Amino acid sequence: MIASLEIPVQVIERAVLENASVDITLLSNGEIASAVVGAASDCLLRTTVSIDSLVDAFLTNENLDKEEATEAELRTLLGRLYKSVEVVERTIQLLGRKAI
């Protein structure tokens, strides 16, 4: 005899994530790692994505249409990316000075 039981997704999500949290980390190589940590996390995977891939995926025409991003918001994003580049360059210079 074959039987099936339907369980609402919300019940499964609540059971899996009740004692877990999402950990997001920026790695020094420009990747963003995410993992679920906690009692229920043994069966879940850690994933990584590079910052440039994430930005590229966000800036597709299809995604921009969904997000309804304005030019002002994209200029804010660009400014933050420039600031990030400046911080990385400054840190590289500091590391270079320490090596001398």
Side-chain angles (χ1 to χ4, degrees), residues 1-66:
M1 173 186 232
I2 297 176
S4 67
L5 174 65
E6 291 187 26
I7 301 172
V9 171
Q10 295 85 354
V11 172
I12 301 296
E13 287 175 344
R14 195 173 313 132
V16 171
L17 297 177
E18 189 171 87
N19 295 315
S21 63
V22 176
D23 182 24
I24 300 174
T25 306
L26 176 60
L27 305 174
S28 60
N29 67 354
E31 290 189 337
I32 299 168
S34 60
V36 175
V37 294
S41 66
D42 290 342
C43 63
L44 300 173
L45 298 174
R46 176 182 167 147
T47 60
T48 60
V49 62
S50 66
I51 292 174
D52 53 306
S53 294
L54 188 63
V55 172
D56 190 47
F58 172 70
L59 294 177
T60 63
N61 287 335
E62 180 182 326
N63 199 24
L64 286 175
D65 290 342
K66 289 180 190 174

